[in-house]
Amino acid sequence: PFWGRLPLSSLTALHFQEFVSERLKVVRPKTVLNEVQLIKAIFKRAVIWGYLEANPAEHLERPRVSRPEIEILSPLEVEKLLVHSTRHYRTAFLTAVLTGLRAGELWAMKWEDIDWISLKIFVRRSLWKRNFQTPKSKYSIRKVDISEHLANELKKWRLLSPKNEHDLVFPDPRGKPVSHGGVVKRHFEPALERAGLRHVSFHSLRHTNASMRIKSGQNVKFIQHQLGHSSIKITLDVYGHLFDDPEFNR
């Protein structure tokens, strides 16, 4: 829509740069970066298919995206969060901290995905807007180790959990797939407030798990597989600074 009905052949690099400049005024740089990557792919395909002789988006500058500082809860803060969490979601929050599962993976977990003998959770699906889908990538399909403590807490929760047609470990109180936004707004954020903690995102529970793994001396390759990152580079890009941070290690 930004270029109206301009024919492909009339678009120049300047048109694309103007698009980036205008978009940066209304959306985040990361969103614009995603759009730029798509535009480059579209016009590369236009050249391959013979609609254009050259790709006018080839040298389009990608917007710089600053990586946000990751939020980590200390063990004491985690304890406070759990104490002030509602009974229905306390075990879910504990599981998120002790496994590092993404929110969608957590809410899509079924009882059949837990191996009580080997103490592992098999990540096989994700939940997005109450719809089941395949995980983020092939690397997201994985086995995540759990402690005996977490296994015991899950067994206790199984006796209290609402029966549901999908056999979900963490359904909503009616036994339906949860709305992540609803859980965050009505249960996670109020628990933070009751505990007197700073406002952090739900994703900080995953970051907290990664920090616990680093502190305990787990191998970075093992951490990559447990978190479901597609490459060790992603793990190091996000958490590499923690390995050498004296304040964090203290």
Side-chain angles (χ1 to χ4, degrees), residues 46 61 75 173 214:
E61 295 183 7
I214 294 170

Side-chain angles (χ1 to χ4, degrees), residues 129-196:
K129 294 185 177 180
R130 292 184 170 172
N131 292 314
F132 294 102
Q133 58 186 25
T134 55
K136 189 175 180 180
S137 71
K138 65 178 182 180
Y139 302 97
S140 299
I141 301 173
R142 64 196 188 280
K143 294 180 288 187
V144 178
D145 293 349
I146 60 174
S147 64
E148 288 189 16
H149 167 66
L150 178 57
N152 290 333
E153 291 300 315
L154 287 168
K155 288 176 182 178
K156 293 177 186 176
W157 168 244
R158 191 171 193 176
L159 300 175
L160 302 171
S161 176
K163 302 301 179 185
N164 61 93
E165 62 175 319
H166 297 293
D167 198 34
L168 294 170
V169 177
F170 301 117
D172 70 12
R174 301 169 301 165
K176 303 293 184 182
V178 304
S179 163
H180 176 64
V183 172
V184 170
K185 185 176 181 179
R186 290 189 287 272
H187 298 279
F188 180 69
E189 291 178 348
L192 290 172
E193 187 173 344
R194 289 193 295 270

Side-chain angles (χ1 to χ4, degrees), residues 24 49 85 119 122 128 132 138 146 172 186 203 208:
L24 285 172
W49 286 349
S85 297
L119 295 180
F122 291 82
W128 174 249
F132 294 102
K138 65 178 182 180
I146 60 174
D172 70 12
R186 290 189 287 272
H203 200 68
T208 297

Side-chain angles (χ1 to χ4, degrees), residues 95-112:
T95 303
V97 170
L98 295 184
T99 61
L101 293 178
R102 299 178 179 92
E105 298 168 345
L106 178 73
W107 304 130
M109 186 169 66
K110 299 184 179 184
W111 288 112
E112 66 185 31

Side-chain angles (χ1 to χ4, degrees), residues 60-86:
L60 177 60
E61 295 183 7
R62 301 166 185 254
R64 291 187 177 182
V65 179
S66 58
R67 187 175 294 278
E69 184 177 349
I70 64 172
E71 301 164 319
I72 297 172
L73 296 177
S74 70
L76 179 59
E77 289 174 325
V78 170
E79 185 177 349
K80 288 181 178 180
L81 169 67
L82 297 175
V83 166
H84 290 87
S85 297
T86 57

